[in-house]
Amino acid sequence: MTATKTMPDTLHRTGSITFDHIGKQYSNGVEALSNVDFTIKPGQFVTIVGPSGCGKSTLLRIAAGLSWPTSGKAVVPKTKPGVVFQDATLLPWKTVLQNVELPGKLDGLKQDDYEKKAMNVLYNVDLDKFADSYPGQLSGGMKMRVSIARALSLEPSVMLFDEPFGALDEITRLHMQDELQKIIVNNPFTGMFITHSVSEAVYLGSRVIVMAARPGRVIDDITVPAPYPRPASYRYQPEFQQIVERITNALIKGSAMSDPEHGSPSK
Amino acid sequence: MTAITIPTLTRKTTMATAAATRKNMKEGSMADTDMADVTVYTKPAEPKIKVPKFVTNVIPGLISLVCGLAIWTFVSTYVLGQRAFLLPAPAKVLTGSLMLPDHFAPMMTALLLTTRVALFGLLLAFIIGVVTAIIMKHSKLAEKAIYPYAVILQTIPVLALVPLIGLWFGYGFASRTTVCVLFTLFPIISNTLFGLQNIDQGMVDLFQTRQASFRQRLWMLELPAALPSIFTGLKTSSGLSVVGAVVADMYFTQGTPGIGTLITVYTSRLQSTDLFAAIVMSAVLGLIVFEVFNKLSDMVIAHWHLTRSHE
């Protein structure tokens, strides 16, 4: 697969994630992942889209070190990835600033250091004025931005996103997608972004991986050539529409081939 | 084209409609107009007098207090007659006991001792309870081994253990504190354990992705997250600590008397005004201790945790 030229070359990106024939089977026989094999190359922002149960979240948790495969291996950079979950998971007893400082503090950085990094990244997501607020005082979208800021604060080479905008309302969601594009352009990470929205996957990704359920497997792998940042109008371009159509067809075909009883594609 | 008849609006008809609407409006928020197939919702009628909130919060309690004191006085004065010593009137308790320094002083000294027992017992129970809960959270083996005995602690009657405690620790301060700990330990263990075991999985994941150490997890995630539950346990136990201390006073009478000791003494001497005064003072102590921990809880966790607090 040729390296996509959609990311600006000005930032040196080094992170990569390799899934090497990953399988995950549970003791009750359910195959959450079956022979998932692909590499996210440095600089790519890969979105993974698929129905519930296709294993996309499981795959992310394996990359994050929260779960492990029953076969195959995942290769990730040694420095810890920044992880953004669907729930912002901010510690409610700490202020916004203290929450963003948390990864630095856990890593043993000096106070001046982690404080500076945290304020810096809060400026970047435009929440510096809320540094001393508590999460309980913020809206859903703002909490998600703090969560993203926290993940960015130590400048990781890899960022993992697990359906971060799933719990937000439509307007906020669209706004956050554009915010995220700016963050992608200005920060040197390689990204893996899980979503169940086809249009979100195509709008945000430089490469879209389509998965199907029962068993969890990759059924398509599409490059999205448009450079960042993409304007809102990109959603109405024929190129966008064609990719969405291709993905939707793949998803329909993939669910038709799934076997609900045995977790394997029916022949 | 059919002609549309428009009803003529005479003064009589408009007045009638207006009266009907007023009648319906009085009920509140629904008004039936002269069209039969609709319901109209409007703003309900305003109450005539606006009552400030603090009045509705405070007045009912004051009224029940006054009624209670009135009934008490009535029963004591008119119903009991010769046996008034069974229930001395509140006024008598006040003038015949609480307001007399040579009655009040020993009661106050006793109360202070009981308070010391209660607070020391609570502190011990807190330390033992929280440490035990932390151990139980991190070791399934410890949890299964300890929990049944924690439950037994809750259910065994103190009276059954008193001879044993007396034998082991004597009949003074140490034994009283032990009884107090027995009363207060279980709520702290069970509530703290509950809080530790019910931390949001997302936060646990967060700490795992950062590869946090055991110490970091304990101090920066687990204990802060469990604080609301820990305070629930503390509030429950604070009330029980006073109960425990007073009961302990009654059984372990060696050394300076606590308020519970005085209660048994006054009962045996039929000094009913002093007895009631002592009971009232115990109740006030219980109230104060509970309020202190309530306020403490508010100070520490209110800025981020919404707990129901009584008005």
Side-chain angles (χ1 to χ4, degrees), chain B residues 23-75:
Chain B
K23 175 165 171 259
N24 287 314
M25 281 290 274
K26 250 203 298 189
E27 241 67 281
S29 43
M30 281 172 56
D32 286 335
T33 62
D34 42 2
M35 295 188 279
D37 56 347
V38 293
T39 306
V40 179
Y41 292 111
T42 55
K43 185 178 175 187
E46 292 269 320
K48 289 203 179 65
I49 310 161
K50 283 217 189 268
V51 185
K53 217 174 213 147
F54 105 92
V55 172
T56 47
N57 286 343
V58 171
I59 296 293
L62 279 176
I63 293 174
S64 57
L65 179 67
V66 168
C67 286
L69 288 173
I71 294 171
W72 181 352
T73 311
F74 179 81
V75 170

Side-chain angles (χ1 to χ4, degrees), chain A residues 5-249:
Chain A
K5 290 198 172 91
T6 59
M7 300 293 220
D9 306 327
T10 46
L11 297 175
H12 181 59
R13 299 170 195 267
T14 56
S16 73
I17 308 172
T18 302
F19 295 107
D20 187 351
H21 296 92
I22 294 273
K24 178 139 181 111
Q25 186 160 51
Y26 292 107
S27 48
N28 56 9
V30 169
E31 241 187 311
L33 291 170
S34 167
N35 198 28
V36 172
D37 192 274
F38 64 90
T39 299
I40 299 179
K41 297 206 171 68
Q44 292 184 332
F45 191 83
V46 172
T47 50
I48 302 185
V49 66
S52 315
C54 70
K56 53 192 196 293
S57 281
T58 312
L59 204 61
L60 183 138
R61 289 178 72 85
I62 290 174
L66 294 169
S67 187
W68 58 93
T70 47
S71 59
K73 61 181 194 280
V75 183
V76 300
K78 233 193 174 77
T79 55
K80 299 183 269 272
V83 188
V84 181
F85 299 99
Q86 179 164 14
D87 182 48
T89 59
L90 303 178
L91 304 179
W93 56 86
K94 284 192 183 295
T95 62
V96 163
L97 181 65
Q98 289 167 337
N99 266 287
V100 178
E101 287 173 344
L102 188 69
K105 210 167 163 195
L106 288 173
D107 268 7
L109 264 53
K110 291 206 183 344
Q111 177 162 6
D112 285 335
D113 205 357
Y114 64 65
E115 201 176 315
K116 211 164 33 146
K117 285 189 199 287
M119 275 314 287
N120 225 11
V121 73
L122 277 176
Y123 276 118
N124 289 341
V125 296
D126 208 15
L127 283 176
D128 49 292
K129 294 191 179 49
F130 291 89
D132 292 323
S133 305
Y134 283 91
Q137 301 167 292
L138 303 182
S139 69
M142 289 162 80
K143 282 194 264 216
M144 187 46 65
R145 271 151 65 200
V146 175
S147 182
I148 293 174
R150 179 179 62 191
L152 277 177
S153 64
L154 299 182
E155 293 166 346
S157 54
V158 160
M159 285 274 283
L160 306 172
F161 300 84
D162 190 354
E163 298 197 57
F165 308 146
L168 305 174
D169 64 270
E170 182 72 10
I171 312 278
T172 312
R173 191 177 189 155
L174 294 174
H175 179 68
M176 290 299 293
Q177 288 170 3
D178 288 333
E179 288 287 310
L180 185 61
Q181 289 205 71
K182 285 191 225 141
I183 290 172
I184 293 170
V185 167
N186 294 322
N187 291 277
F189 58 79
T190 300
M192 177 172 161
F193 185 104
I194 310 285
T195 178
H196 61 254
S197 160
V198 177
S199 79
E200 183 171 78
V202 182
Y203 189 65
L204 290 177
S206 61
R207 173 180 170 198
V208 181
I209 291 191
V210 187
M211 292 181 72
R214 287 180 297 272
R217 63 200 187 279
V218 174
I219 55 176
D220 206 353
D221 191 337
I222 308 163
T223 308
V224 183
Y228 292 89
R230 295 141 182 196
S233 59
Y234 180 58
R235 292 191 182 91
Y236 309 108
Q237 303 286 339
E239 173 185 279
F240 184 96
Q241 305 281 2
Q242 279 161 21
I243 298 175
V244 166
E245 196 180 336
R246 177 173 158 185
I247 294 173
T248 311
N249 290 336

Side-chain angles (χ1 to χ4, degrees), chain B residues 43-292:
Chain B
K43 185 178 175 187
E46 292 269 320
K48 289 203 179 65
I49 310 161
K50 283 217 189 268
V51 185
K53 217 174 213 147
F54 105 92
V55 172
T56 47
N57 286 343
V58 171
I59 296 293
L62 279 176
I63 293 174
S64 57
L65 179 67
V66 168
C67 286
L69 288 173
I71 294 171
W72 181 352
T73 311
F74 179 81
V75 170
S76 171
T77 318
Y78 299 107
V79 174
L80 289 176
Q82 284 235 314
R83 294 174 301 159
F85 67 88
L86 285 176
L87 184 69
K92 207 137 166 267
V93 171
L94 203 65
T95 54
S97 182
L98 287 172
M99 287 172 70
L100 299 176
D102 54 334
H103 287 245
F104 183 74
M107 280 194 257
M108 198 57 199
T109 316
L111 194 71
L112 286 175
L113 181 64
T114 308
T115 315
R116 264 204 300 199
V117 170
L119 291 179
F120 189 61
L122 189 61
L123 178 68
L124 265 182
F126 179 74
I127 295 170
I128 300 173
V130 171
V131 170
T132 308
I134 293 174
I135 295 171
M136 287 168 79
K137 141 109 182 151
H138 289 105
S139 159
K140 263 273 174 242
L141 184 71
E143 186 192 338
K144 292 201 201 299
I146 298 173
Y147 203 76
Y149 298 101
V151 175
I152 288 173
L153 211 78
Q154 180 74 347
T155 53
I156 202 163
V158 175
L159 190 56
L161 292 177
V162 157
L164 202 64
I165 295 170
L167 215 62
W168 286 349
F169 302 115
Y171 289 84
F173 187 85
S175 294
R176 290 186 219 177
T177 310
T178 309
V179 168
C180 196
V181 169
L182 287 175
F183 269 84
T184 51
L185 189 58
F186 181 77
I188 293 180
I189 293 180
S190 72
N191 279 284
T192 307
L193 186 62
F194 177 80
L196 289 172
Q197 287 176 332
N198 286 283
I199 302 171
D200 180 52
Q201 184 61 37
M203 293 187 210
V204 174
D205 284 347
L206 172 70
F207 273 69
Q208 197 171 343
T209 60
R210 305 313 306 174
Q211 293 165 22
S213 69
F214 174 82
R215 280 187 65 192
Q216 287 175 325
R217 258 189 301 135
L218 184 66
W219 292 104
M220 294 173 73
L221 172 67
E222 293 173 356
L223 287 176
L227 264 181
S229 295
I230 293 176
F231 269 106
T232 304
L234 253 182
K235 283 191 269 190
T236 309
S237 284
S238 68
L240 290 173
S241 70
V242 174
V243 172
V246 172
V247 168
D249 287 341
M250 292 178 170
Y251 292 114
F252 301 115
T253 52
Q254 200 177 62
T256 326
I259 197 85
T261 324
L262 288 185
I263 285 174
T264 26
V265 167
Y266 295 149
T267 312
S268 64
R269 293 188 198 158
L270 292 180
Q271 282 172 254
S272 55
T273 39
D274 288 331
L275 173 64
F276 270 81
I279 291 172
V280 166
M281 287 175 78
S282 311
V284 169
L285 174 65
L287 218 88
I288 292 174
V289 172
F290 181 81
E291 260 311 300
V292 163

